[in-house]
Amino acid sequence: MGMIYKRGMVYWIKYYRSGKPYRESTRSKKTADAKRLLKKREGKISEGKLPGIYFDRVRFDELAEDLLTDYRINQKKTLVRAARSVEHLRVPYIPMLNENNTRKGFFEHGDFIALRDSLPDYLKDFVTFGYKVGWRVSEIGNLTWKHVDLEHGIVRLEPGETKNDEGRTVYLDEEVKGVFAHQWEVRKKSKTLLPYIFLNKDGADKIKRFDKAWKTACQKVGVGVKIFHDLRRTAVRNMVRSGIPERVAMMISGHKTRSVFDRHNIVNDTDLRLAGQKQETYLQAQMGTNSGTIHNIGAKREMSNSA
């Protein structure tokens, strides 16, 4: 019932004792060595002796298949349960402790302007685009001129070119149009006409890594520990604050799921304070009165009751 097989260039043998499979490396590339070892092991088993085995690592799939084969051969009634257990072991559920490690970094507008002014010139347009549209750093770095329609002020990524594999179209405001116009001029002055829009410091390739320049600028303006992805969070928040419908904002930034979008749509104390002011303004508009309307109404009711 034994067998010989290869793993890479080395021969292995497989044999059974009391219905239990054993595997063993021959540590040899010769078939003859494998045959001799298998014959030796089978001889020991026929004498009722447990062979001296040097066990090597065996894959889970091989062990699982041997187990199920044994169940099938012996027609065990618990075969279905065993198969279910094997599948459970393939994808075990390991409960994890809840972690509150979601980053909450974002830029106020003044902080962003200060940071951009402190960055090298070749990065300024790059971060401006990220601040305005909220795209991932890799998506911006991979932008080429085939994605841009300067005449109509459109940038478009085709399906399959984004992280979520969905296409994306953005209409550019005047500032971002100026970014692309400037980069077009930079391209024309370059000795090598590359397809990428945002070029590195030497103008020889697309922008890939700029950790040192980013960290230096953050320290210089005193905005704390920031990462480029904070621009994505900021763009989402700014779009929602400016009144852009959330569904449209998700289409611009490239958020596919609502949960991730909500995580990036950060609310801070300023947002909460503005919410209170907006509610008061709304209620005043409904009543057609000045500030303090609600208190005045309450006072009038008390006067009316007293009368």
Side-chain angles (χ1 to χ4, degrees):
M1 294 297 292
M3 63 176 293
I4 298 172
Y5 61 98
K6 264 188 171 182
R7 283 187 179 175
M9 300 299 294
V10 178
Y11 280 98
W12 282 62
I13 60 174
K14 178 181 177 182
Y15 49 89
Y16 293 84
R17 181 178 183 273
S18 301
K20 183 178 180 181
Y22 291 87
R23 292 180 177 83
E24 185 179 353
S25 171
T26 67
R27 307 181 190 278
S28 174
K29 299 179 182 179
K30 297 180 180 180
T31 308
D33 292 339
K35 290 181 178 179
R36 279 195 295 271
L37 183 59
L38 179 59
K39 187 175 181 180
K40 181 179 178 181
R41 297 296 187 235
E42 290 178 335
K44 291 288 185 180
I45 293 171
S46 65
E47 296 173 4
K49 298 178 181 178
L50 181 65
I53 305 171
Y54 298 94
F55 291 103
D56 282 340
R57 287 179 296 180
V58 181
R59 296 179 182 275
F60 170 81
D61 288 342
E62 294 173 341
L63 292 174
E65 184 57 33
D66 283 338
L67 172 69
L68 296 178
T69 298
D70 178 67
Y71 272 59
R72 294 188 190 101
I73 292 174
N74 294 287
Q75 298 182 348
K76 294 185 178 181
K77 295 180 180 180
T78 54
L79 173 61
V80 175
R81 181 178 178 182
R84 189 184 307 121
S85 298
V86 166
E87 290 304 314
H88 178 73
L89 289 173
R90 291 186 196 278
V91 190
Y93 170 70
I94 303 175
M96 305 293 288
L97 294 176
N98 292 328
E99 294 185 58
N100 185 19
N101 59 356
T102 304
R103 287 187 57 89
K104 297 182 179 180
F106 59 94
F107 286 91
E108 296 301 334
H109 188 63
D111 291 338
F112 167 73
I113 298 299
L115 175 70
R116 183 179 62 181
D117 291 345
S118 298
L119 286 169
D121 288 342
Y122 78 96
L123 287 173
K124 291 179 179 178
D125 285 347
F126 187 88
V127 299
T128 298
F129 187 76
Y131 178 72
K132 283 297 188 73
V133 302
W135 285 10
R136 300 172 181 85
V137 63
S138 60
E139 293 171 341
I140 303 174
N142 288 325
L143 268 180
T144 64
W145 289 105
K146 73 175 184 178
H147 297 115
V148 182
D149 181 350
L150 287 177
E151 181 180 355
H152 298 94
I154 296 174
V155 175
R156 175 168 176 77
L157 294 179
E158 299 297 333
E161 295 180 330
T162 64
K163 184 178 179 180
N164 62 18
D165 293 328
E166 294 184 353
R168 195 179 310 157
T169 300
V170 174
Y171 287 81
L172 309 177
D173 63 19
E174 294 304 315
E175 182 179 18
V176 183
K177 286 180 182 178
V179 163
F180 285 94
H182 176 250
Q183 290 301 315
W184 183 254
E185 292 300 319
V186 170
R187 183 175 189 267
K188 287 196 299 184
K189 293 177 182 179
S190 174
K191 295 181 180 180
T192 304
L193 297 180
L194 297 174
Y196 300 107
I197 294 173
F198 300 105
L199 303 181
N200 61 16
K201 184 178 180 180
D202 300 325
D205 198 0
K206 63 182 179 180
I207 294 175
K208 296 178 181 177
R209 298 296 298 270
F210 49 93
D211 306 44
K212 185 176 179 179
W214 176 271
K215 184 177 179 180
T216 299
C218 287
Q219 292 174 342
K220 183 177 179 180
V221 299
V223 295
V225 181
K226 298 288 187 182
I227 61 175
F228 189 88
H229 204 75
D230 292 334
L231 296 178
R232 180 166 168 79
R233 282 179 271 269
T234 303
V236 168
R237 188 192 65 177
N238 288 346
M239 282 188 274
V240 173
R241 279 183 173 181
S242 64
I244 296 175
E246 292 184 358
R247 178 57 186 162
V248 176
M250 290 176 67
M251 293 174 65
I252 293 173
S253 64
H255 284 90
K256 190 172 184 178
T257 62
R258 180 54 188 257
S259 60
V260 177
F261 178 84
D262 288 342
R263 191 166 71 235
H264 286 183
N265 182 16
I266 300 163
V267 177
N268 63 5
D269 290 340
T270 302
D271 297 317
L272 298 175
R273 184 164 53 251
L274 288 173
Q277 295 172 357
K278 288 180 179 179
Q279 184 183 45
E280 182 180 23
T281 301
Y282 170 77
L283 293 175
Q284 290 173 6
Q286 297 301 306
M287 300 299 296
T289 56
N290 297 324
S291 179
T293 297
I294 296 177
H295 297 292
N296 291 337
I297 291 174
K300 290 179 180 179
R301 285 177 178 171
E302 289 183 0
M303 293 176 61
S304 176
N305 292 335
S306 299

